[in-house]
Amino acid sequence: MNKIVSKEQLSADIYKLVIEAPLIAEAHKPGQFIILQLGGDFNERIPLTIADADEERGTITLIIQAVGESTKAVVALNVGQSIENLLGPLGQPTKLGKFGKVVCVGGGIGVAPMYPIAKALHELGNEVKMILGARNKDLFVMKEEMASVVDELIIVTDDGSEGRKALVTVPLKELCEEWKPDLVVTIGPPIMMKFCALTTLPYGVHTIASLNTIMIDGTGMCGGCRVSIGDETKFVCVDGPEFDAHKVDWNNMLSRLGTYKPQEEENKHKCRMGLNTEDTEAK
Amino acid sequence: MHVSREELDNQAIEILKKYEGVKLTPKTRGEIPVQEMPTQAPMVRITNMNEVAEGYTENQVKAEALRCLQCKNEPCIQGCPVGINIPKFIAEAAKGEYSAANSVIKESSLLPSICGRVCPQESQCQKFCTVGKIKKDVNQAVAIGRIERFVADYSRENDCDVQPTIKAETGKKVAIIGSGPASVAAAADLRKEGHSVVMFEALHKAGGVLVYGIPEFRLPKKLVQHEINNLIAMGVELNLNYLVGKTRTIEKLMTTDGFDAVFVGAGAGLPKFMNIPGENLIGVFSANEFLTRSNLMKAYDQKDSLTPLWNCERAAIFGGGNVAMDAARTAKRLGAKEVTVIYRRSEEELPARKEEFEHAKEEGINFLLLHQPHEIIGNDKSHVTSVKVVTCELGEPDASGRRSPVEIPGTEQILAFDTVVVSIGNSSNPLIKQTTEGIETNKRGNFIVNEETLETTLPGVYAGGDIVLGAATVILAMGQGRKAAKAINKYLTK
Ligand SMILES: Cc1cc2nc3c(=O)[nH]c(=O)nc-3n(C[C@H](O)[C@H](O)[C@H](O)COP(=O)(O)OP(=O)(O)OC[C@H]3O[C@@H](n4cnc5c(N)ncnc54)[C@H](O)[C@@H]3O)c2cc1C
Ligand SMILES: Cc1cc2nc3c(=O)[nH]c(=O)nc-3n(C[C@H](O)[C@H](O)[C@H](O)COP(=O)(O)OP(=O)(O)OC[C@H]3O[C@@H](n4cnc5c(N)ncnc54)[C@H](O)[C@@H]3O)c2cc1C
Ligand code: SF4
Ligand code: SF4
Ligand code: FES
């Protein structure tokens, strides 16, 4: 069960794992995720998006950025080894349909979860443009796969080492003005998603974001993943992970994500954000 | 004053000596004082996670068993939700026949070492005990639960537990959803009938609330694991990391995977919040999250566990039930300097088990009774800094018969806290209902079942425990699991 069938290093700290998980592969829909735990009493439960699934082979694909102890331990596993505990698929699938013109904005590791969504939207006959952002050219993952499922790929980097030297919100704003999309989907570091939401708000473009809150069980039991959406409290693991980005209380979500920062830093973890969106941008 | 286990044992020895060879009359039996449960000293136990109640010594069991009058009309039995033959097992215990006593209990209850620890005895079996009635104090009743615990622990530790016999394979397959006490009971009874039984649990450990909610210091996890191991030894297949409704629907289990019947013991795992301002601030937790981090994820062991814990110095616990006591006492053990339980009614209405309330007080937990939280206040970093409460007085009795709290205008005050644990209970987990067509629930989300058979509105699908009762008790959940198993067996063999 849950045997790793292939492993590939995509960039300095990003890995692609293909794992045998026939039931999850069969039940999976774009937008959903799994929670894994490496066995024993002391390992933590960590949520990861299902980046792809192959129902026939009975496998799922995870794209993992090794940012802290647990993700590092996962990517240290080798082909043939198994992940002791793997639960999924969790969360609500993306609401797919024919919307017309769609902009997908992926930053850092957010490209992985975006892939099945962009692919499905494209297959449903939407015109899909994808904005892909990273700090520098070495940090892109799944660029080719992405290019093959969208109508146009727009690359931006913080340092200009590839594509435009800009933050993702710059081309997003231009598209809102000129192309007038019907839907924007954004997945990436929370701060990036927040500024994407602020960018599209004045244009009234419906925008959805996939939230990566802290989770434990992933079944709706603990409430640790809760966020304020409009006037309501929602549990990201069962009600989400995707929400109307204009209704998300981003400041609350960002601060809740930092709950255990002191403990994580104590473990000498480094910051997971692959993309640096300045606070001044899009204001 | 805390009395050590040795001292309590000596007192029991004295009693046994005094009555040795004496023909006991109800009057002399009534003179024997109730045997106190030995515990770790309060100031010691708040520094560890080990069990607080250490269990009777053998002498104490014998002394306590002498107190039972062996009433002909057996009033205590009607107070036990599963009808354990209490006088009979106590008579065996009095003789020192613990294994026989255990067999008597096992006819009705599958989890005596657990129920002997966590049953709210004072409102169940012990409430009806004649001795307590005579003394006009339920705390003077025969300590049925403590004897039950000893007998069950003894049988487990000495390997003289009843080994279930399994009937010939019937070829029928039953799916059990969840692995809490309702599911454990249903699985065991159905397997004994020769059905093939597969248990599906969402988490990475089996046991339900017994592993993720109730803390180690009240219920050692090895006891729960022992029961799960027994199930596996009986041939029950356990599938962890399997969320029915998501990994597979009930419909698929029945049509594609060939299950002939399903038992749903999914529990009441949805934490309630108060819907007051500030509940999403950093430092506010549901009791489920707080306890799950500590218990299931073993975060109380910060040296080894990778799951982090919030650093809490001054904790406010909202609520007054068992969940609140567990959260408060866990916070204390995790190093909080000050822990305050805020409850809107008075001590009399406090729903927690008496023993837990007493233990909490001994451990230095503060109780702010007759106060209702109105708002949680945070700083510019969204960290909790204080709680606004208002004073209440008791008004007319409400639907539950308890006098309801009435807020007194103008009594607001702001108290400093850095942590809030909302422990006002749980409601039914909605996932199965949302993913299964044909299952109906009441307005609280509890499954609607046939009272006799516990069959849901979907044929072949049965349910029991907290998913039907709302947040209830271990013994009630276990009782429902057994009741449903009986009905499922009938359904499968008709
Ligand atoms: C629905 C969802 C989908 C995700 N998909 C992916 C994915 O496809 N690929 C990927 O690389 N990462 C993904 N993540 C993030 C991933 O879960 C975290 O990076 C991981 O849990 C960090 O664990 P750690 O011990 O390695 O790092 P830590 O040092 O513990 O944490 C590093 C960072 O991760 C955050 N974090 C810590 N614990 C959790 C937790 N239990 N849940 C969420 N975030 C946490 C912290 O706030 C911190 O910013 C996803 C998160 C969610 C909620
Ligand atoms: C903190 C706390 C303290 C308590 N203290 C006491 C006490 O002292 N005495 C007492 O008698 N009672 C106590 N209770 C109540 C008691 O624990 C419950 O009544 C009892 O555990 C209910 O049993 P159950 O079998 O119905 O469900 P649970 O024990 O809740 O188990 C349900 C299980 O089902 C799993 N599950 C849910 N949905 C799915 C799904 N879709 N697929 C697969 N698995 C699923 C869950 O993960 C869980 O493991 C306490 C409860 C809590 C929370
Ligand atoms: S199971 Fe509970 S109610 Fe029944 S006899 Fe034992 S302690 Fe009393
Ligand atoms: S009611 Fe009390 S004294 Fe009477 S048989 Fe039951 S336990 Fe013994
Ligand atoms: S992770 Fe526990 S409720 Fe969502």
Side-chain angles (χ1 to χ4, degrees):
Chain A
M1 279 253 283
N2 313 333
K3 201 192 277 174
I4 298 173
V5 294
S6 79
K7 174 177 158 181
E8 198 184 321
Q9 185 165 6
L10 303 183
S11 77
D13 60 355
I14 299 181
Y15 292 76
K16 173 172 160 179
L17 260 55
V18 179
I19 300 162
E20 227 168 60
L23 292 179
I24 301 177
E26 185 185 333
H28 154 264
K29 297 213 173 58
Q32 291 186 300
F33 63 97
I34 56 96
I35 283 193
L36 62 78
Q37 196 264 2
L38 293 178
D41 268 350
F42 300 121
N43 278 303
E44 69 188 319
R45 294 169 65 93
I46 58 171
L48 297 162
T49 308
I50 305 169
D52 208 354
D54 186 332
E55 199 179 323
E56 258 150 54
R57 287 175 61 211
T59 59
I60 59 166
T61 302
L62 304 178
I63 307 282
I64 307 168
Q65 183 169 28
V67 289
E69 280 208 57
S70 298
T71 41
K72 279 179 189 157
V74 177
V75 303
L77 293 174
N78 290 316
V79 173
Q81 285 184 291
S82 293
I83 290 172
E84 191 156 323
N85 298 297
L86 186 64
L87 170 71
L90 301 173
Q92 301 295 333
T94 308
K95 287 186 196 68
L96 295 168
K98 183 130 197 256
F99 303 98
K101 294 190 270 187
V102 182
V103 178
C104 296
V105 189
I109 189 78
V111 182
M114 189 65 94
Y115 174 73
I117 297 170
K119 187 166 121 188
L121 284 169
H122 188 72
E123 279 165 7
L124 284 166
N126 294 289
E127 203 180 332
V128 182
K129 294 194 182 196
M130 169 86 205
I131 304 172
L132 209 57
R135 264 194 330 257
N136 66 58
K137 68 175 177 14
D138 299 326
L139 297 175
F140 284 113
V141 293
M142 297 182 80
K143 205 170 57 191
E144 286 73 33
E145 284 101 320
M146 214 54 174
S148 69
V149 298
V150 298
D151 296 289
E152 188 187 345
L153 190 66
I154 301 161
I155 304 259
V156 298
T157 49
D158 289 7
D159 65 355
S161 54
E162 186 174 343
R164 259 171 94 172
K165 180 175 189 300
L167 298 170
V168 290
T169 43
V170 176
L172 178 61
K173 188 163 194 258
E174 291 166 7
L175 285 173
C176 283
E177 253 162 30
E178 293 149 24
W179 194 53
K180 303 197 169 42
D182 300 293
L183 174 72
V184 170
V185 185
T186 169
I187 310 182
I191 192 81
M192 181 202 91
M193 294 193 282
K194 171 183 166 175
F195 283 104
C196 285
L198 289 174
T199 305
T200 59
L201 187 62
Y203 302 96
V205 185
H206 183 51
T207 302
I208 54 180
S210 180
L211 304 187
N212 48 351
T213 51
I214 291 176
M215 294 188 179
I216 307 180
D217 59 302
T219 69
M221 181 268 280
C222 75
C225 60
R226 67 195 190 278
V227 287
S228 308
I229 306 289
D231 302 331
E232 286 178 276
T233 291
K234 296 278 185 189
F235 289 6
V236 173
C237 70
V238 286
D239 302 322
E242 286 165 18
F243 293 98
D244 182 340
H246 295 150
K247 290 197 181 150
V248 175
D249 180 341
W250 288 103
N251 292 342
N252 181 251
M253 144 106 195
L254 280 160
S255 57
R256 286 185 63 81
L257 256 183
T259 302
Y260 300 101
K261 269 272 138 60
Q263 285 94 324
E264 285 152 10
E265 251 139 49
E266 210 171 280
N267 292 346
K268 292 194 208 68
H269 293 173
K270 64 176 180 183
C271 176
R272 71 183 286 273
M273 303 203 173
L275 190 91
N276 218 350
T277 308
E278 309 262 304
D279 257 33
T280 48
E281 174 60 26
K283 264 191 186 150
Chain B
M1 240 336 266
H2 180 258
V3 184
S4 73
R5 194 165 196 254
E6 289 68 32
E7 178 53 30
L8 291 171
D9 192 43
N10 285 334
Q11 291 172 5
I13 292 171
E14 290 304 313
I15 291 166
L16 293 175
K17 260 199 219 137
K18 183 169 163 196
Y19 294 103
E20 204 184 311
V22 178
K23 176 103 182 69
L24 288 169
T25 62
K27 188 159 174 292
T28 45
R29 287 181 195 273
E31 284 165 4
I32 304 171
V34 62
Q35 300 297 298
E36 246 185 75
M37 175 59 97
T39 55
Q40 283 193 67
M43 289 310 124
V44 175
R45 69 193 191 223
I46 58 170
T47 64
N48 65 50
M49 277 287 163
N50 301 337
E51 195 170 11
V52 167
E54 297 169 313
Y56 273 171
T57 66
E58 193 171 346
N59 294 314
Q60 283 188 290
V61 174
K62 288 189 172 149
E64 186 63 29
L66 290 182
R67 300 182 69 235
C68 172
L69 308 176
Q70 295 291 316
C71 310
K72 283 275 156 324
N73 58 342
E74 306 172 328
C76 45
I77 297 183
Q78 58 164 293
C80 172
V82 298
I84 292 177
N85 191 332
I86 296 166
K88 195 168 163 197
F89 96 72
I90 294 185
E92 294 291 355
K95 289 186 280 181
E97 299 288 344
Y98 308 121
S99 174
N102 187 53
S103 301
V104 173
I105 299 174
K106 282 275 173 114
E107 285 165 23
S108 316
S109 170
L110 290 171
L111 307 169
S113 61
I114 295 172
C115 294
R117 286 174 165 81
V118 303
C119 253
Q121 290 106 358
E122 71 271 15
S123 56
Q124 295 181 358
C125 51
Q126 287 168 208
K127 182 174 169 188
F128 294 87
C129 173
T130 313
V131 177
K133 288 264 157 75
I134 294 171
K135 307 230 169 203
K136 295 197 175 59
D137 178 3
V138 65
N139 299 313
Q140 297 291 315
V142 175
I144 302 168
R146 294 173 187 170
I147 305 178
E148 177 177 336
R149 165 183 166 162
F150 177 90
V151 162
D153 284 354
Y154 178 94
S155 302
R156 186 186 63 253
E157 284 157 13
N158 294 285
D159 274 333
C160 51
D161 218 338
V162 200
Q163 289 313 319
T165 44
I166 310 234
K167 293 193 186 152
E169 298 293 332
T170 61
K172 301 279 186 191
K173 267 173 80 176
V174 190
I176 308 278
I177 302 175
S179 62
S183 298
V184 168
D189 281 0
L190 285 162
R191 182 64 199 130
K192 282 187 218 159
E193 293 296 334
H195 307 304
S196 131
V197 177
V198 185
M199 189 179 241
F200 298 100
E201 167 56 50
L203 295 172
H204 63 282
K205 275 190 198 156
V209 170
L210 307 182
V211 292
Y212 78 71
I214 303 180
E216 178 77 20
F217 59 81
R218 217 151 62 74
L219 180 65
K221 300 307 154 226
K222 66 168 201 278
L223 296 180
V224 184
Q225 193 53 48
H226 178 81
E227 301 302 338
I228 301 295
N229 292 345
N230 280 347
L231 283 185
I232 293 170
M234 286 168 72
V236 171
E237 186 185 323
L238 174 62
N239 275 333
L240 298 172
N241 309 302
Y242 198 118
L243 184 62
V244 176
K246 288 286 182 185
T247 309
R248 227 157 165 77
T249 57
I250 289 189
E251 195 201 334
K252 266 212 166 148
L253 288 173
M254 295 184 88
T255 54
T256 315
D257 300 343
F259 284 98
D260 301 292
V262 175
F263 173 77
V264 183
L270 182 74
K272 285 190 202 157
F273 286 93
M274 300 192 51
N275 296 318
I276 58 174
E279 253 176 332
N280 291 346
L281 289 168
I282 301 183
V284 184
F285 303 89
S286 75
N288 277 4
E289 178 181 359
F290 195 70
L291 293 169
T292 299
R293 278 182 185 273
S294 177
N295 294 322
L296 180 73
M297 307 311 295
K298 295 279 178 281
Y300 64 74
D301 182 351
Q302 273 299 284
K303 191 166 59 43
D304 293 315
S305 179
L306 287 173
T307 300
L309 274 180
W310 173 247
N311 210 344
C312 92
E313 299 263 315
R314 292 170 60 86
I317 315 292
F318 296 174
N322 286 324
V323 183
M325 297 307 120
D326 283 345
R329 299 172 69 197
T330 297
K332 192 86 189 177
R333 284 163 177 74
L334 297 179
K337 295 204 173 59
E338 219 181 295
V339 181
T340 305
V341 172
I342 304 179
Y343 177 60
R344 61 198 177 129
R345 299 184 216 236
S346 73
E347 185 175 326
E348 208 165 302
E349 291 82 20
L350 203 81
R353 291 180 58 208
K354 180 110 177 78
E355 182 177 301
E356 308 317 330
F357 173 60
E358 294 301 332
H359 281 165
K361 279 198 300 191
E362 288 167 15
E363 288 166 13
I365 310 284
N366 308 323
F367 285 82
L368 186 60
L369 302 171
L370 289 166
H371 280 79
Q372 171 85 323
H374 262 198
E375 184 181 347
I376 306 167
I377 300 161
N379 62 14
D380 57 350
K381 283 171 23 213
S382 296
H383 287 199
V384 173
T385 54
S386 55
V387 174
K388 188 198 266 178
V389 296
V390 59
T391 311
C392 300
E393 59 189 352
L394 290 178
E396 295 300 311
D398 63 8
S400 71
R402 291 180 305 176
R403 295 181 64 193
S404 51
V406 181
E407 294 177 2
I408 306 171
T411 56
E412 287 85 1
Q413 50 175 321
I414 291 178
L415 306 170
F417 291 105
D418 57 27
T419 306
V420 170
V421 185
V422 182
S423 315
I424 55 168
N426 297 305
S427 43
S428 300
N429 189 316
L431 189 81
I432 302 260
K433 151 85 181 155
Q434 284 162 1
T435 55
T436 317
E437 212 166 308
I439 286 202
E440 282 169 34
T441 58
N442 66 16
K443 63 176 189 298
R444 281 202 229 101
N446 302 339
F447 282 20
I448 293 171
V449 293
N450 173 326
E451 300 245 329
E452 297 305 312
T453 61
L454 300 184
E455 190 171 27
T456 65
T457 47
L458 191 62
V461 179
Y462 295 72
D466 281 4
I467 189 83
V468 170
L469 300 166
T473 60
V474 174
I475 187 76
L476 285 171
M478 193 202 77
Q480 282 213 323
R482 302 202 77 185
K483 190 170 171 185
K486 221 168 167 182
I488 292 172
N489 187 44
K490 216 162 156 193
Y491 170 82
L492 292 176
T493 48
K494 79 166 174 232

Short mmCIF file of all heavy atoms in Angstrom, two decimals, chain B residues 29 65 67-77 85-88 90 125-134 141-144 147, ligand 4:
data_model
loop_
_atom_site.label_atom_id
_atom_site.label_comp_id
_atom_site.label_asym_id
_atom_site.label_seq_id
_atom_site.Cartn_x
_atom_site.Cartn_y
_atom_site.Cartn_z
N ARG B 29 -22.19 -3.95 57.22
CA ARG B 29 -21.68 -3.59 55.89
C ARG B 29 -21.74 -2.07 55.70
O ARG B 29 -20.84 -1.47 55.13
CB ARG B 29 -22.52 -4.26 54.79
CG ARG B 29 -22.27 -5.76 54.67
CD ARG B 29 -23.10 -6.37 53.54
NE ARG B 29 -23.14 -7.83 53.62
CZ ARG B 29 -22.22 -8.63 53.08
NH1 ARG B 29 -21.20 -8.12 52.43
NH2 ARG B 29 -22.32 -9.94 53.19
N ALA B 65 -16.07 -4.43 48.07
CA ALA B 65 -17.08 -5.43 47.70
C ALA B 65 -17.92 -5.85 48.90
O ALA B 65 -19.09 -6.19 48.76
CB ALA B 65 -16.42 -6.64 47.05
N ARG B 67 -19.10 -3.98 51.00
CA ARG B 67 -20.14 -2.96 51.24
C ARG B 67 -21.44 -3.26 50.50
O ARG B 67 -22.49 -2.70 50.82
CB ARG B 67 -19.63 -1.57 50.84
CG ARG B 67 -18.39 -1.13 51.62
CD ARG B 67 -17.95 0.27 51.20
NE ARG B 67 -18.90 1.27 51.62
CZ ARG B 67 -19.46 2.14 50.80
NH1 ARG B 67 -19.19 2.13 49.52
NH2 ARG B 67 -20.33 3.02 51.26
N CYS B 68 -21.37 -4.11 49.48
CA CYS B 68 -22.56 -4.38 48.68
C CYS B 68 -23.53 -5.27 49.45
O CYS B 68 -23.15 -6.28 50.03
CB CYS B 68 -22.14 -5.06 47.37
SG CYS B 68 -23.53 -5.65 46.40
N LEU B 69 -24.79 -4.88 49.45
CA LEU B 69 -25.80 -5.58 50.23
C LEU B 69 -26.43 -6.73 49.48
O LEU B 69 -27.29 -7.43 50.01
CB LEU B 69 -26.91 -4.59 50.64
CG LEU B 69 -26.46 -3.29 51.32
CD1 LEU B 69 -27.66 -2.38 51.56
CD2 LEU B 69 -25.76 -3.61 52.64
N GLN B 70 -26.00 -6.92 48.22
CA GLN B 70 -26.59 -7.98 47.38
C GLN B 70 -28.12 -7.85 47.37
O GLN B 70 -28.84 -8.84 47.58
CB GLN B 70 -26.14 -9.36 47.88
CG GLN B 70 -24.64 -9.61 47.73
CD GLN B 70 -24.22 -9.74 46.26
OE1 GLN B 70 -24.87 -10.40 45.46
NE2 GLN B 70 -23.15 -9.06 45.88
N CYS B 71 -28.59 -6.68 47.11
CA CYS B 71 -30.03 -6.41 47.13
C CYS B 71 -30.78 -7.36 46.20
O CYS B 71 -30.39 -7.55 45.06
CB CYS B 71 -30.32 -4.98 46.66
SG CYS B 71 -29.33 -3.76 47.49
N LYS B 72 -31.88 -7.91 46.70
CA LYS B 72 -32.69 -8.86 45.92
C LYS B 72 -33.25 -8.19 44.65
O LYS B 72 -33.29 -8.79 43.59
CB LYS B 72 -33.85 -9.39 46.78
CG LYS B 72 -33.44 -10.45 47.80
CD LYS B 72 -33.42 -11.82 47.16
CE LYS B 72 -32.53 -12.83 47.86
NZ LYS B 72 -31.27 -12.38 48.45
N ASN B 73 -33.67 -6.94 44.80
CA ASN B 73 -34.30 -6.28 43.65
C ASN B 73 -33.29 -5.63 42.70
O ASN B 73 -33.67 -5.04 41.69
CB ASN B 73 -35.33 -5.25 44.13
CG ASN B 73 -34.68 -4.22 45.05
OD1 ASN B 73 -33.58 -4.47 45.57
ND2 ASN B 73 -35.33 -3.09 45.23
N GLU B 74 -32.03 -5.74 43.00
CA GLU B 74 -30.94 -5.29 42.12
C GLU B 74 -31.16 -3.92 41.48
O GLU B 74 -31.14 -3.79 40.26
CB GLU B 74 -30.73 -6.33 41.01
CG GLU B 74 -30.50 -7.73 41.54
CD GLU B 74 -30.50 -8.77 40.43
OE1 GLU B 74 -31.22 -8.58 39.44
OE2 GLU B 74 -29.76 -9.76 40.56
N PRO B 75 -31.38 -2.88 42.27
CA PRO B 75 -31.71 -1.57 41.67
C PRO B 75 -30.57 -1.01 40.81
O PRO B 75 -30.82 -0.30 39.84
CB PRO B 75 -31.96 -0.68 42.89
CG PRO B 75 -31.24 -1.33 44.02
CD PRO B 75 -31.33 -2.80 43.75
N CYS B 76 -29.33 -1.33 41.18
CA CYS B 76 -28.20 -0.78 40.45
C CYS B 76 -28.20 -1.18 38.98
O CYS B 76 -27.79 -0.40 38.10
CB CYS B 76 -26.89 -1.22 41.10
SG CYS B 76 -26.89 -2.99 41.50
N ILE B 77 -28.71 -2.38 38.69
CA ILE B 77 -28.64 -2.88 37.31
C ILE B 77 -29.42 -1.97 36.35
O ILE B 77 -28.98 -1.71 35.23
CB ILE B 77 -29.14 -4.34 37.22
CG1 ILE B 77 -28.23 -5.25 38.05
CG2 ILE B 77 -29.18 -4.82 35.77
CD1 ILE B 77 -28.57 -6.73 37.98
N ASN B 85 -24.77 -7.45 35.31
CA ASN B 85 -25.26 -8.06 36.55
C ASN B 85 -24.30 -7.67 37.68
O ASN B 85 -23.38 -8.41 38.03
CB ASN B 85 -25.37 -9.57 36.41
CG ASN B 85 -26.13 -10.17 37.60
OD1 ASN B 85 -26.11 -9.60 38.70
ND2 ASN B 85 -26.78 -11.30 37.38
N ILE B 86 -24.56 -6.50 38.24
CA ILE B 86 -23.63 -5.89 39.19
C ILE B 86 -23.48 -6.70 40.48
O ILE B 86 -22.36 -7.03 40.88
CB ILE B 86 -24.03 -4.42 39.44
CG1 ILE B 86 -23.87 -3.62 38.13
CG2 ILE B 86 -23.17 -3.79 40.56
CD1 ILE B 86 -24.53 -2.26 38.13
N PRO B 87 -24.60 -7.06 41.16
CA PRO B 87 -24.42 -7.81 42.41
C PRO B 87 -23.63 -9.10 42.19
O PRO B 87 -22.80 -9.47 43.03
CB PRO B 87 -25.85 -8.12 42.86
CG PRO B 87 -26.75 -7.27 42.05
CD PRO B 87 -26.01 -6.76 40.87
N LYS B 88 -23.88 -9.77 41.07
CA LYS B 88 -23.21 -11.04 40.82
C LYS B 88 -21.70 -10.86 40.65
O LYS B 88 -20.91 -11.59 41.24
CB LYS B 88 -23.81 -11.68 39.56
CG LYS B 88 -23.46 -13.15 39.41
CD LYS B 88 -24.34 -13.77 38.31
CE LYS B 88 -23.75 -15.10 37.83
NZ LYS B 88 -24.34 -15.50 36.53
N ILE B 90 -19.92 -8.39 41.75
CA ILE B 90 -19.31 -7.91 43.00
C ILE B 90 -19.16 -9.09 43.99
O ILE B 90 -18.15 -9.18 44.70
CB ILE B 90 -20.15 -6.76 43.62
CG1 ILE B 90 -20.08 -5.54 42.69
CG2 ILE B 90 -19.63 -6.40 45.02
CD1 ILE B 90 -20.74 -4.29 43.22
N CYS B 125 -25.18 3.61 37.28
CA CYS B 125 -25.38 2.51 38.23
C CYS B 125 -25.39 2.96 39.69
O CYS B 125 -26.26 2.58 40.47
CB CYS B 125 -24.31 1.44 38.01
SG CYS B 125 -22.63 2.07 37.97
N GLN B 126 -24.42 3.81 40.05
CA GLN B 126 -24.27 4.17 41.47
C GLN B 126 -25.40 5.06 41.98
O GLN B 126 -25.67 5.13 43.17
CB GLN B 126 -22.90 4.81 41.70
CG GLN B 126 -21.82 3.73 41.63
CD GLN B 126 -20.40 4.23 41.56
OE1 GLN B 126 -19.56 3.56 41.01
NE2 GLN B 126 -20.12 5.41 42.10
N LYS B 127 -26.07 5.71 41.05
CA LYS B 127 -27.17 6.59 41.42
C LYS B 127 -28.30 5.78 42.07
O LYS B 127 -29.04 6.28 42.92
CB LYS B 127 -27.68 7.29 40.17
CG LYS B 127 -28.80 8.28 40.40
CD LYS B 127 -29.10 8.99 39.11
CE LYS B 127 -30.37 9.80 39.21
NZ LYS B 127 -30.73 10.33 37.90
N PHE B 128 -28.44 4.51 41.64
CA PHE B 128 -29.55 3.69 42.11
C PHE B 128 -29.17 2.77 43.27
O PHE B 128 -30.00 2.03 43.78
CB PHE B 128 -30.10 2.84 40.96
CG PHE B 128 -30.72 3.68 39.87
CD1 PHE B 128 -29.94 4.20 38.85
CD2 PHE B 128 -32.07 3.96 39.90
CE1 PHE B 128 -30.51 4.99 37.86
CE2 PHE B 128 -32.65 4.74 38.91
CZ PHE B 128 -31.87 5.26 37.89
N CYS B 129 -27.91 2.82 43.66
CA CYS B 129 -27.43 1.88 44.68
C CYS B 129 -28.08 2.14 46.05
O CYS B 129 -28.14 3.28 46.52
CB CYS B 129 -25.91 1.97 44.80
SG CYS B 129 -25.25 1.01 46.15
N THR B 130 -28.54 1.06 46.66
CA THR B 130 -29.23 1.16 47.94
C THR B 130 -28.36 1.82 49.02
O THR B 130 -28.85 2.62 49.83
CB THR B 130 -29.64 -0.25 48.42
OG1 THR B 130 -30.24 -0.93 47.32
CG2 THR B 130 -30.63 -0.19 49.57
N VAL B 131 -27.09 1.46 49.04
CA VAL B 131 -26.21 2.00 50.07
C VAL B 131 -26.15 3.54 49.96
O VAL B 131 -26.26 4.25 50.97
CB VAL B 131 -24.78 1.40 49.96
CG1 VAL B 131 -23.86 2.03 50.99
CG2 VAL B 131 -24.84 -0.11 50.12
N GLY B 132 -26.02 4.01 48.75
CA GLY B 132 -26.01 5.46 48.54
C GLY B 132 -27.32 6.09 48.97
O GLY B 132 -27.36 7.17 49.57
N LYS B 133 -28.42 5.37 48.68
CA LYS B 133 -29.75 5.86 49.04
C LYS B 133 -29.88 5.98 50.56
O LYS B 133 -30.35 6.99 51.08
CB LYS B 133 -30.83 4.91 48.52
CG LYS B 133 -31.00 4.97 47.00
CD LYS B 133 -32.15 5.92 46.63
CE LYS B 133 -32.02 6.46 45.22
NZ LYS B 133 -32.36 5.51 44.18
N ILE B 134 -29.42 4.92 51.27
CA ILE B 134 -29.52 4.93 52.73
C ILE B 134 -28.72 6.09 53.30
O ILE B 134 -29.15 6.81 54.19
CB ILE B 134 -29.00 3.59 53.32
CG1 ILE B 134 -29.94 2.45 52.89
CG2 ILE B 134 -28.92 3.66 54.85
CD1 ILE B 134 -29.40 1.06 53.22
N ALA B 141 -22.30 5.52 47.71
CA ALA B 141 -22.78 4.27 47.09
C ALA B 141 -21.62 3.32 46.92
O ALA B 141 -20.45 3.72 47.01
CB ALA B 141 -23.41 4.59 45.74
N VAL B 142 -21.92 2.04 46.67
CA VAL B 142 -20.86 1.08 46.37
C VAL B 142 -20.13 1.57 45.12
O VAL B 142 -20.75 1.95 44.13
CB VAL B 142 -21.45 -0.33 46.15
CG1 VAL B 142 -20.35 -1.31 45.72
CG2 VAL B 142 -22.15 -0.82 47.40
N ALA B 143 -18.80 1.57 45.17
CA ALA B 143 -18.01 2.10 44.04
C ALA B 143 -17.92 1.04 42.93
O ALA B 143 -16.89 0.41 42.71
CB ALA B 143 -16.62 2.51 44.52
N ILE B 144 -19.05 0.87 42.26
CA ILE B 144 -19.19 -0.19 41.26
C ILE B 144 -18.14 -0.07 40.15
O ILE B 144 -17.48 -1.04 39.78
CB ILE B 144 -20.62 -0.15 40.66
CG1 ILE B 144 -21.65 -0.30 41.79
CG2 ILE B 144 -20.80 -1.22 39.59
CD1 ILE B 144 -23.08 0.02 41.37
N ILE B 147 -14.60 -1.12 41.16
CA ILE B 147 -14.42 -2.58 41.25
C ILE B 147 -14.37 -3.16 39.83
O ILE B 147 -13.53 -4.01 39.53
CB ILE B 147 -15.57 -3.22 42.05
CG1 ILE B 147 -15.70 -2.56 43.44
CG2 ILE B 147 -15.36 -4.72 42.19
CD1 ILE B 147 -16.85 -3.09 44.28
S1 SF4 C 4 -27.77 -1.52 44.72
FE1 SF4 C 4 -25.73 -1.24 45.61
S2 SF4 C 4 -25.77 -2.50 47.40
FE2 SF4 C 4 -27.48 -3.15 46.17
S3 SF4 C 4 -26.74 -4.84 44.93
FE3 SF4 C 4 -26.44 -3.01 43.75
S4 SF4 C 4 -24.38 -2.36 44.24
FE4 SF4 C 4 -24.96 -3.81 45.81
#
